[in-house]
Amino acid sequence: MVETVRGAIAPEALGRVLMHEHLFVLSPEFAVNYPEHEGFKEDEHVPEAIRRLKELKDAGIDTIVDPTVIGLGRYIPRVQRVAAEVEVNIVVATGLYTYNDVPHYLHFRGPGTMLQGEDPLVGMFVGDIREGISGTGVKAGLLKCATDEPGVTPGVERVLRAVAKAHVETGAPIMTHTHAGTKRGLEQQAIFEDEGVDLSRVLVGHSGDSTDLGYLTELADRGSLLGMDRFGLDLLLPFEERVNTVAALCERGYAGSMVLSHDASCYIDWLPEDQLPVLTPNWHYLHITRDVLPALRERGVSETDITTMLVDNPRRFLSWRD
């Protein structure tokens, strides 16, 4: 069974899956302390998210994976409000998102700190997977961590190893954020392997930001899935290059190593809301179904390969036994 916000479902019920999307990416302390500035509006943005997911369902997508974890403003009751009104399955994650250090809450707790002891992160992640998140009853279906351009800092390594330990204890798969230009996925694989992680249970996120086929096939040949998951972020890599990279990998027989998505959100407070449509006009949930899939077909990608990337690979990745 696969855990979703509305409960466990059979893997076959996942249907077509976008493997990396967010509902709400928020900075809660700013929203609470500076409400006079532009910020999240519950009565406006929750209905908008419901509308957009209904639109996505009409476009033929049945499931999204939302890897919004600590550091990105995760708040499950709000996600439950959306899930109750839509037919799209939502799989949520546990983990911690940082490019540098861990939050101050963890500075004196855990290995290498003043108080030493076991890392509380491992227990937090395992609890989210086995018991549910913060009393909501919603269980995390996967783990999430990040390594960006700063590399494997001590804080980042601590999170990666805690995620790996939680994976080894529970079997839950791991999704990552990476900086593809600096090949951070290889560093993640090395740490995970050191912790005893089966690399076939790892999805190296944002691999689609790279056109380096050597790097991408190296990740895939070690067993991991490639997240070709930022379609629409043309500022980072143009549409044509993203499509051509996926097509080239399919031609080389790597459709079984890729998943597709946008890394889009219904609301993100990292940028002014009115600037997003100007800076990233294609960064929305419907870009893949409207634009990417037709472009892949034009480049000779078969329907079998498209089904592999949207259905078979997500189903295999999200299916696990504790």
Side-chain angles (χ1 to χ4, degrees):
M1 304 297 283
V2 177
E3 293 293 343
T4 77
V5 174
R6 292 195 301 264
I9 63 173
E12 298 76 25
L14 290 169
R16 288 178 126 200
V17 183
L18 296 181
M19 278 295 294
H20 192 130
E21 309 291 351
H22 299 273
L23 287 180
F24 311 108
V25 178
L26 303 171
S27 308
E29 286 186 290
F30 282 89
V32 170
N33 288 285
Y34 300 100
E36 68 274 17
H37 295 286
E38 177 189 302
F40 182 80
K41 301 175 181 64
E42 194 86 23
D43 59 353
E44 175 183 331
H45 292 111
V46 168
E48 173 64 8
I50 292 168
R51 184 193 68 79
R52 290 182 61 179
L53 284 184
K54 287 180 176 180
E55 192 175 47
L56 183 61
K57 177 68 174 181
D58 291 342
I61 299 298
D62 305 293
T63 300
I64 64 168
V65 176
D66 181 349
T68 304
V69 292
I70 302 303
L72 294 172
R74 184 183 74 177
Y75 183 58
I76 295 300
R78 183 177 293 123
V79 178
Q80 287 178 297
R81 282 188 59 196
V82 176
E85 301 295 328
V86 301
E87 295 180 24
V88 175
N89 305 306
I90 304 171
V91 180
V92 296
T94 186
L96 195 150
Y97 187 90
T98 180
Y99 298 166
N100 291 287
D101 204 358
V102 293
H104 289 294
Y105 179 86
L106 297 162
H107 277 204
F108 302 107
R109 297 173 166 95
T113 71
M114 184 176 70
L115 299 179
Q116 295 294 330
E118 294 295 320
D119 197 327
L121 284 173
V122 179
M124 292 174 183
F125 300 159
V126 170
D128 284 353
I129 293 163
R130 287 182 169 161
E131 280 90 51
I133 299 168
S134 188
T136 62
V138 175
K139 295 180 180 180
L142 70 161
L143 291 141
K144 168 75 179 295
C145 54
T147 311
D148 206 86
E149 197 166 4
V152 183
T153 65
V156 165
E157 182 172 358
R158 179 177 172 183
V159 176
L160 293 180
R161 292 192 182 278
V163 160
K165 287 178 170 63
H167 158 82
V168 170
E169 183 169 341
T170 65
I174 300 170
M175 174 189 290
T176 75
H177 163 106
T178 63
H179 186 267
T182 47
K183 301 183 180 181
R184 297 303 183 204
L186 296 173
E187 297 171 342
Q188 291 178 340
Q189 284 184 323
I191 290 172
F192 292 150
E193 199 166 41
D194 183 59
E195 291 286 345
V197 174
D198 176 358
L199 294 184
S200 70
R201 307 304 297 141
V202 175
L203 193 167
V204 182
H206 310 330
S207 296
D209 286 348
S210 176
T211 60
D212 184 342
L213 297 183
Y215 166 61
L216 297 174
T217 54
E218 185 176 358
L219 291 173
D221 288 344
R222 299 191 73 199
S224 299
L225 277 176
L226 306 176
M228 315 307 276
D229 54 21
R230 275 183 162 174
F231 278 103
L233 272 177
D234 302 330
L235 288 172
L236 299 181
L237 190 69
F239 172 80
E240 292 291 333
E241 294 186 50
R242 292 183 185 276
V243 169
N244 288 340
T245 300
V246 172
L249 287 168
C250 285
E251 189 174 348
R252 295 185 181 201
Y254 284 91
S257 298
M258 291 185 284
V259 295
L260 306 177
S261 210
H262 307 95
D263 191 21
S265 56
C266 296
Y267 180 82
I268 179 170
D269 65 10
W270 292 9
L271 293 166
E273 191 173 10
D274 62 349
Q275 290 298 307
L276 278 175
V278 178
L279 296 171
T280 56
N282 294 318
W283 197 31
H284 55 78
Y285 291 164
L286 300 177
H287 181 47
I288 285 176
T289 52
R290 287 179 177 175
D291 307 310
V292 175
L293 297 184
L296 289 174
R297 293 182 181 109
E298 286 179 8
R299 286 158 179 77
V301 176
S302 68
E303 292 301 322
T304 298
D305 283 351
I306 288 172
T307 298
T308 296
M309 293 185 285
L310 285 177
V311 178
D312 301 334
N313 295 342
R315 181 184 299 175
R316 184 179 71 252
F317 181 75
L318 293 170
S319 302
W320 54 277
R321 187 184 300 276
D322 192 335

